[in-house]
Amino acid sequence: MIKKLTFAAALAAATALGGVAANAKTLVYCSEASPAGFDPSPWSGGNDFDASSRTIYSRLVEFEHGKTSLMPGLAESWTVSDDGLEYTFKLRPGVKFQTTDYFTPSRDLNADDVIFSFERQWKKESPWYSYLPGTGWEYFAGMGFPDLLKEIVKVDDLTVKFVLNKPEVAFLPDLGMDFASIVSKEYADQLEKAGNLQQFTQKPVGTGPFQFVDYQVDSVIRYAAWDGYFGGRQKIDDLIFAITPDPAVRAQKLKAGECNIMSYPAPADIAGLQADENLHVAEQEGLNIGYMAYNTTVAPFDKVEVRRALNMAVNKQAIIDAVYQGAGQAAVNPIPPTMWGYNKDIKDDPYDPESAKKMLDEAGVKDLSMKIWAMPVSRPYNPNAQRVAEMIQADYAKVGVKAEIVSYEWTEYRTRGKANDRDGAFQLGWTGDNGDPDNFLFLLGCEAIGQSNYAIWCNKEFEDLLQAGKKTTDQAERTKIYEKAQEVFKREAPWLTIAHSKVFMPMTKNVVGFEMDPLGIHRFDGVDIAE
Amino acid sequence: MGMAPRPGRHLAIARTMFRYILNKFALIVPTIIGITLAAFAFVRLLPGDPILAMAGERGVSPERYAELLERFGYNRPIWVQYFDYISGVLHGDFGVSLATKRPVLGEFLTLFPATLELATVAMLLAIAIGIPAGIFAAVKRGSWFDQLTMGAALTGYSMPIFWWGLLLIIFFSGTLGWTPVSGRIGLQYFFPPHTGFMLIDSLISGKKGAFSSAVSHLILPAIVLATIPLAVIARQTRSAMLEVLGEDYVRTARAKGLSPRRVIGMHAFRNALIPVVTTIGLQVGTLMAGAILTETIFSWPGIGKWMIDSIGKRDYVVVQSGLLLIALIVMAVNLVVDLLYAVINPRIRVQ
């Protein structure tokens, strides 16, 4: 018995020590997945960005903390030529790259670093283009940069000019994205000379708030505040990512004090975390949309009246209550209300099964049976597509429409969903990545058919507005264009807009200064731990 | 028979033993070929592919898709891809992960010690509890202890690992606060991984409290991973003991007046051990399967979690080479068990 007690006591002691040392200020973040690497540009996962671009690196322009508006970053100021083809950036002088035990910079940031950061993703002749086998620089290509960029010119050491092939209004916000992080050319040159290019992604060097210390694969990432950060040294000394893939386990770790803050709680755990008196659960409207796309090329869904009737048959509020458990709001437009350009005047199709039934009759639709596609995975914009499908199925039954629910493995699901002759209505969603309305509305563009336009909808009026929005630089002007585009969208109803979901971030009460980011990024600059 | 063994007899034994080993090895080659084929086919039979998995909701244009397919070499005929893979493996090149761009063998070697450490401790736990429990249950056949143990073994055997792991975390880490929730060691301990085995590294580090922190982190995952093998070993030990206890020589030993402890320990248990050893060998495969779930729950940076992540990303290279490496290890362990078995039990050699 005594033996047992000492064992328990030893365990308890070990656990107490398992907390975080108190002398240095350490913030522990329970993250959801291992980063693929620490180069900010080749990868596209949110967890990759959290671990690389947002901690270690900075960009020419930055999103304001917790917002989608832009502010100067490594560029102090910039000018845009009247034709929208030339962007000239004045770099901030005296920006220091991090000094680590594997690299000591001999100079400050200059135009060479900026040019290198983009050309390595662009110019195939650079050894850095292919230093990671099979890398396609997905984000750089995905944002259309290879076609967009004509050249990047060094005007002087602290001035760099981007020349574009065509005007692109989202060019500045694009430069605030993770793939556009600025890396050190001097470090790259040094590694190239040593023939050790791989180290570039394993031991990163940037100009950001934290510098890299160590990574134990699939387990722990350690960072330290970078003393020379141009934005000022951080209040915390150490930042640790404790990689914890299971959301229920992350919640337990937070409760047990093994971390200070966690990402993506499971919906079922939120109430319990909110009830814990040591914790605070921050929440924010997500920059996202969960939707169900009709195949607008297949009868009877090619008829607007049928699509609108089906929209009116669905009790959205019931879905918000049951599936999103209140952590969401019914979506009216394809862009979320927190985004500029959102059209507040548009009214949602009312929930009205009677009228829906009548409209279907009038459209000559009888005994309709259709498929409802349900994603096999839980996503921020739709935590349980299967349940949503079941509720829509029940609603449809009330207006005499028979629906069958289908689902496939996640990548297969999207592949099949893109087929032009896809049978049925397809659930999916989107989370924005640069805060521009075009970053949502492009999903419905004619060019996106076969890629992300699951409604297979190509509407001339909408498309013209979309293209006009891309060419206009004035935000007030663009707002008008996008408001109109939303009207067209609502009138034509290619989607059932389901919900914009809330995003939660549980943390211990002593964490101060953490701002939830509408782009879903987890940033730890400016965070402190209260004594 | 009182005679000194003739020199020729040793030679004969050595020869049959050699033939036995040769037979075993002869089986290994086709098995490995089969495994490479299965591993190669398995991940390609899964719906989806690495490019689509990477693209996410954004989607990918057909031109871009074709370009990437070509860059990865997945537009080549399937048999060319297979021979490419095999010739790489034969040269010790297991390929480069599509997701992380790191060499697969390097990733495997980094992560494997964590799995090995966990699996070893779990296996020792399963043996240390399973065998005595099985013996005792057999000796006290029909008693409350027997029924309780076998009931518990059946429950343990059918326990869903994920649920069981969470239950232990919530109770021991959450409610009681005795053990840490997950990870391998307290975060305040930061030292280079010399061996990859946290129990050893924490001792080498010389940091106060590091070893006990490592032990406390190991307890729950080891229990979870040990549960199924423990149940199997206990049941196997019990039934092997029951069989042996009914044999004539055990009755003779009892009739000679030997103490029950001697009868059970010396005569019965040694013979019952043979099928138990086989069972333990076979449990190595079970441990690998269990490690996948256990590592995911406890954020244990081992190869189980690595494989699951890679299957999700359709990282063909990691899955096909990782499966092969794991299979090679399981086969090696089973081969060693087979050889040990032949040493323990001379009858096997003759067959």
Side-chain angles (χ1 to χ4, degrees), chain A residues 25 27 54-55 65-66 208-210 225-226 229 231-237 239 261 507 510-516 522-530:
Chain A
K25 264 195 188 178
L27 182 82
R54 297 294 155 182
T55 35
H65 220 150
F210 297 95
W226 163 226
Y229 178 48
R233 192 194 185 276
Q234 297 302 305
K235 294 186 187 117
I236 53 171
D237 303 294
L239 173 65
I261 186 163
M507 62 193 88
N510 59 356
V511 174
V512 287
F514 183 86
E515 299 248 13
M516 292 197 62
H522 301 113
R523 279 173 68 167
F524 300 100
D525 49 323
V527 178
D528 194 9
I529 296 195

Side-chain angles (χ1 to χ4, degrees), chain B residues 113-180:
Chain B
T115 302
L116 185 60
E117 183 172 52
L118 175 60
T120 308
V121 172
M123 189 49 110
L124 291 177
L125 196 67
I127 293 171
I129 300 175
I131 290 184
I135 295 175
F136 207 64
V139 173
K140 303 273 176 190
R141 183 181 186 180
S143 69
W144 65 266
F145 178 84
D146 180 23
Q147 301 200 357
L148 190 75
T149 317
M150 287 307 115
L154 188 65
T155 316
Y157 185 72
S158 12
M159 191 86 79
I161 290 185
F162 218 92
W163 177 81
W164 176 224
L166 268 181
L167 202 69
L168 289 182
I169 288 179
I170 289 170
F171 187 65
F172 286 104
S173 313
T175 312
L176 296 176
W178 285 3
T179 52

Side-chain angles (χ1 to χ4, degrees), chain B residues 294-305:
Chain B
T294 311
E295 289 178 0
T296 305
I297 307 170
F298 290 96
S299 321
W300 196 264
I303 52 170
K305 183 168 161 293

Side-chain angles (χ1 to χ4, degrees), chain A residues 369-382:
Chain A
S369 67
M370 62 182 286
K371 285 182 177 148
I372 296 175
W373 293 57
M375 301 170 300
V377 292
S378 168
R379 305 297 283 174
Y381 49 74
N382 186 343

Side-chain angles (χ1 to χ4, degrees), chain B residues 63-309:
Chain B
E63 303 83 53
R64 184 89 191 131
Y65 181 81
E67 191 188 326
L68 287 172
L69 213 56
E70 189 176 335
R71 182 168 313 162
F72 289 126
Y74 293 136
N75 57 344
R76 297 173 301 165
I78 196 89
W79 58 269
V80 174
Q81 294 180 42
Y82 177 72
F83 283 107
D84 198 43
Y85 159 54
I86 292 301
S87 90
V89 166
L90 289 177
H91 293 93
D93 174 11
F94 288 84
V96 171
S97 159
L98 300 178
T100 66
K101 320 293 180 195
R102 286 192 296 255
V104 174
L105 188 61
E107 289 203 329
F108 181 84
L109 294 176
T110 310
L111 297 169
F112 185 62
T115 302
L116 185 60
E117 183 172 52
L118 175 60
T120 308
V121 172
M123 189 49 110
L124 291 177
L125 196 67
I127 293 171
I129 300 175
I131 290 184
I135 295 175
F136 207 64
V139 173
K140 303 273 176 190
R141 183 181 186 180
S143 69
W144 65 266
F145 178 84
D146 180 23
Q147 301 200 357
L148 190 75
T149 317
M150 287 307 115
L154 188 65
T155 316
Y157 185 72
S158 12
M159 191 86 79
I161 290 185
F162 218 92
W163 177 81
W164 176 224
L166 268 181
L167 202 69
L168 289 182
I169 288 179
I170 289 170
F171 187 65
F172 286 104
S173 313
T175 312
L176 296 176
W178 285 3
T179 52
V181 177
S182 74
R184 284 182 86 188
I185 192 161
L187 289 170
Q188 73 274 35
Y189 300 106
F190 173 38
F191 42 79
H194 288 290
T195 62
F197 300 98
M198 196 52 90
L199 292 177
I200 300 173
D201 286 343
S202 61
L203 278 177
I204 296 176
S205 78
K207 297 211 168 132
K208 208 170 147 254
F211 181 72
S212 69
S213 176
V215 171
S216 70
H217 280 80
L218 193 51
I219 293 172
L220 289 190
I223 291 175
V224 169
L225 187 55
T227 301
I228 290 175
L230 194 161
V232 174
I233 290 170
R235 282 155 60 101
Q236 180 64 48
T237 308
R238 178 179 178 271
S239 68
M241 279 299 284
L242 283 180
E243 196 173 312
V244 174
L245 286 173
E247 296 278 341
D248 287 348
Y249 63 84
V250 173
R251 236 179 301 158
T252 312
R254 279 199 174 125
K256 275 201 301 189
L258 291 181
S259 71
R261 177 175 287 198
R262 239 178 118 74
V263 171
I264 292 161
M266 289 287 293
H267 292 77
F269 176 63
R270 282 189 60 174
N271 283 296
L273 195 58
I274 294 168
V276 174
V277 167
T278 315
T279 307
I280 292 172
L282 291 174
Q283 288 308 304
V284 173
T286 313
L287 276 181
M288 285 296 154
I292 291 176
L293 290 173
T294 311
E295 289 178 0
T296 305
I297 307 170
F298 290 96
S299 321
W300 196 264
I303 52 170
K305 183 168 161 293
W306 179 59
M307 287 304 290
I308 275 290
D309 289 349

Side-chain angles (χ1 to χ4, degrees), chain A residues 134-214:
Chain A
T135 294
W137 305 102
E138 281 326 299
Y139 243 95
F140 186 82
M143 299 310 291
F145 269 43
D147 298 329
L148 184 63
L149 291 179
K150 189 170 179 200
E151 57 175 342
I152 309 174
V153 186
K154 177 179 180 174
V155 179
D156 62 48
D157 253 10
L158 290 177
T159 313
V160 64
K161 186 166 76 178
F162 287 71
V163 184
L164 311 186
N165 285 317
K166 56 185 182 205
E168 167 64 56
V169 285
F171 186 63
L172 278 175
D174 285 352
L175 293 183
M177 286 170 66
D178 306 85
F179 78 89
S181 297
I182 304 303
V183 298
S184 165
K185 179 164 194 306
E186 190 188 7
Y187 181 46
D189 286 346
Q190 209 166 309
L191 293 178
E192 200 179 327
K193 214 184 239 170
N196 186 12
L197 275 61
Q198 295 290 324
Q199 189 183 310
F200 199 76
T201 183
Q202 290 154 0
K203 295 186 166 177
V205 170
T207 56
F210 297 95
Q211 68 181 77
F212 175 82
V213 175
D214 183 64

Side-chain angles (χ1 to χ4, degrees), chain A residues 15 17 135 258 381 409, chain B residues 57-58 71 178 181 188 314:
Chain A
T15 318
L17 285 170
T135 294
E258 287 178 34
Y381 49 74
E409 183 280 331
Chain B
E57 283 94 334
R58 175 177 294 279
R71 182 168 313 162
W178 285 3
V181 177
Q188 73 274 35
R314 300 291 182 277

